[in-house]
Amino acid sequence: MAATSAPPALAELKARAKSIRKGIITSTTTAGSGHPTSSLSGVEIAVALFFGGILHYDPKNPHWPERDRFILSKGHAAPLLYAVLAEAGYFPKDQLATLRKLGSPLEGHPNMRRLAGVEASTGSLGQGLSLAIGHALAARMNRLKYRVNVLMGDGEMDEGQVWEAAMAAKKFQLDNLVVIVDQNGFQQTGPTAEVLDLRPLTQRWEAFGWFAQEINGHDLSEVLAAFQKAAQTQGKPSVIVARTVKGYPIQHLLTKDPNHHGKPLTKEEQDEALAFLDSQP
């Protein structure tokens, strides 16, 4: 079962992106905690997957064996995943206001045991790719055609487990596996280039035997084309290095701290951000 019968127009996808960004901003400000900027940088990637005709899924049957998988390895960007799942119909959008509240299934990091649509409990960085490899191998063993997509942060690339998993994926020729690196240039303690500079990241993945593409992660046309090209690749896993901006497109409101890691917007910043989003086409 496909999420959509045909890929929608870019205008519709942009409207989805705007709605999801509003959900990210309001849910984290209401919670008084969370990671809005880490979530905002990955919006176009998630929108292309869930609403661009790439991902096959059914909110009414979340455990459908043939569904495509989406694993959020950068689990602190849970507000992105929750806003996308609400937009896709897994649960009502008004539930986003319960983010990080006691008893809510919308925990600070995704918990697959508590919320339909969450494929993996993540938050300990570096583990998502290994989990995705398990899903990809299971598809082969069970003779199913689903694809596995995992969204990772560029700071997460510092973890040795990532590169062990990258070697394993190449060994097993997992051409049903796609990694998307949200390369927003920051991690918790500062710019990724200062913490541990892994550039050139695209060529590094190529050296590990992956089919690698580098794109503008906020250009929906480029994102969609990259997923389509990855789906045509045979005999090796694919990685899409998406150049993004942390907090996009409200980064100009965060001039005091371009990283703004793990901090919600104040009520005043929220209102200014929502007004800016409404002013955009």
Side-chain angles (χ1 to χ4, degrees):
M1 184 179 300
T4 55
S5 56
L10 282 178
E12 182 180 336
L13 294 178
K14 288 179 179 179
R16 295 274 196 186
K18 182 182 292 189
S19 174
I20 288 164
R21 284 195 161 95
K22 288 182 177 181
I24 291 169
I25 293 167
T26 57
S27 64
T28 50
T29 296
T30 299
S33 62
H35 297 75
T37 57
S38 301
S39 299
L40 290 169
S41 61
V43 169
E44 279 75 19
I45 296 163
V47 166
L49 277 169
F50 277 83
F51 308 106
I54 305 297
L55 211 65
H56 296 80
Y57 62 96
D58 182 1
K60 296 180 180 178
N61 185 15
H63 300 296
W64 175 41
E66 296 180 48
R67 72 192 182 281
D68 291 328
R69 272 63 164 172
F70 173 71
I71 293 174
L72 180 69
S73 187
K74 46 177 284 182
H76 56 285
L80 166 61
L81 178 59
Y82 300 152
V84 168
L85 292 178
E87 187 77 20
Y90 280 88
F91 58 86
K93 289 184 180 181
D94 59 12
Q95 195 173 339
L96 291 173
T98 70
L99 174 68
R100 291 177 169 242
K101 297 291 192 295
L102 188 64
S104 171
L106 308 188
E107 297 183 7
H109 293 75
N111 186 340
M112 63 183 293
R113 294 183 179 276
R114 300 201 63 203
L115 190 66
V118 175
E119 296 286 358
S121 300
T122 55
S124 294
L125 295 176
Q127 297 182 357
L129 179 52
S130 298
L131 293 167
I133 288 172
H135 280 276
L137 285 170
R140 178 182 294 174
M141 294 172 67
N142 294 326
R143 298 182 181 180
L144 296 174
K145 295 182 179 180
Y146 67 76
R147 296 179 62 76
V148 185
N149 304 272
V150 54
L151 179 60
M152 309 184 72
D154 50 350
E156 188 175 7
M157 299 294 101
D158 297 353
E159 299 281 355
Q161 182 174 342
V162 170
W163 302 105
E164 292 177 13
M167 288 186 284
K170 170 60 170 63
K171 169 185 168 59
F172 294 114
Q173 300 181 320
L174 297 178
D175 52 15
N176 60 341
L177 173 64
V178 181
V179 163
I180 312 97
V181 180
D182 181 2
Q183 191 180 28
N184 64 32
F186 284 96
Q187 57 196 96
Q188 184 177 20
T189 56
T192 53
E194 296 178 8
V195 177
L196 185 60
D197 193 353
L198 295 179
R199 297 173 297 177
L201 196 54
T202 303
Q203 289 87 337
R204 190 176 295 270
W205 282 95
E206 287 177 334
F208 274 75
W210 288 54
F211 172 62
Q213 304 175 74
E214 186 170 342
I215 62 167
N216 176 351
H218 297 306
D219 185 321
L220 280 164
S221 296
E222 287 193 31
V223 178
L224 288 166
F227 278 120
Q228 291 161 1
K229 193 175 293 185
Q232 297 167 1
T233 300
Q234 297 182 346
K236 61 173 65 176
S238 292
V239 60
I240 300 169
V241 177
R243 300 185 309 273
T244 61
V245 177
K246 196 165 186 179
Y248 183 86
I250 61 163
Q251 68 274 12
H252 63 284
L253 303 178
L254 310 172
T255 54
K256 293 181 181 178
D257 179 10
N259 193 358
H260 203 89
H261 188 89
K263 295 183 289 186
L265 276 64
T266 65
K267 179 63 167 61
E268 293 73 20
E269 290 170 335
Q270 171 196 265
D271 294 345
E272 188 175 355
L274 295 177
F276 175 78
L277 290 175
D278 284 335
S279 72
Q280 300 303 295

